[in-house]
Amino acid sequence: MIIKINEYSDVPIYLQIRNQIVMGISSGELSAGEQLPTVRALSMEIGINTMTVSKAYQILKSEGYIMTDRKNGARVRTEINQTKSLSNVNKEELKRIVSEAKISGLSKGEFDKIINEMWGK
């Protein structure tokens, strides 16, 4: 999986890394048990500070997406706890996206089509 950083984004780099790894897990691009690059390797690959990558990995670990240990590094968890709900932060982000879609004139049907494409039907 290739991590792409947008230096001009308002989203902090550590969150961009976190988000792309979560999307990689969701899409199947990253499979259960798959080894992630070391903090040092990923930071060198994308040209950022190791502390930034470390922060992203810490968040992913606390959210239950990855597991880490000194011997094996970071790996995608083989079993991710399915809460079957969205966090309040994600609900607010979704509310913002829906609001922007409505303001732009997108119909509910058109919005549903986009969601279905992203969900993978």
Side-chain angles (χ1 to χ4, degrees):
M1 176 176 173
I2 297 172
I3 304 283
K4 295 179 183 172
I5 300 302
N6 179 353
E7 295 177 13
Y8 302 104
S9 173
D10 291 337
V11 177
I13 293 173
Y14 72 91
L15 282 179
Q16 290 182 49
I17 295 168
R18 178 256 180 223
N19 293 345
Q20 289 181 49
I21 290 173
V22 169
M23 287 186 279
I25 294 168
S26 172
S27 71
E29 191 175 352
L30 291 172
S31 55
E34 186 170 339
Q35 180 79 41
L36 296 175
T38 65
V39 168
R40 181 173 284 126
L42 185 55
S43 67
M44 289 177 63
E45 181 181 322
I46 57 181
I48 60 170
N49 189 297
T50 56
M51 295 303 291
T52 304
V53 175
S54 180
K55 186 172 184 176
Y57 280 13
Q58 288 171 5
I59 291 169
L60 288 161
K61 182 179 178 181
S62 72
E63 293 174 336
Y65 294 115
I66 67 171
M67 54 189 171
T68 61
D69 65 53
R70 290 179 192 246
K71 183 178 178 185
N72 298 314
R75 293 186 176 277
V76 176
R77 288 184 63 94
T78 54
E79 292 184 24
I80 296 174
N81 184 20
Q82 296 182 350
T83 62
K84 303 203 188 280
S85 66
L86 285 176
S87 69
N88 287 334
V89 170
N90 285 337
K91 285 179 184 177
E92 285 300 312
E93 180 68 8
L94 187 55
K95 185 177 180 181
R96 181 193 61 78
I97 292 167
V98 168
S99 297
E100 288 181 15
K102 287 167 73 176
I103 291 170
S104 72
L106 201 65
S107 72
K108 185 172 183 320
E110 292 166 327
F111 188 78
D112 287 344
K113 183 179 177 188
I114 293 168
I115 295 295
N116 288 332
E117 288 170 3
M118 290 182 176
W119 194 274
K121 297 182 184 181

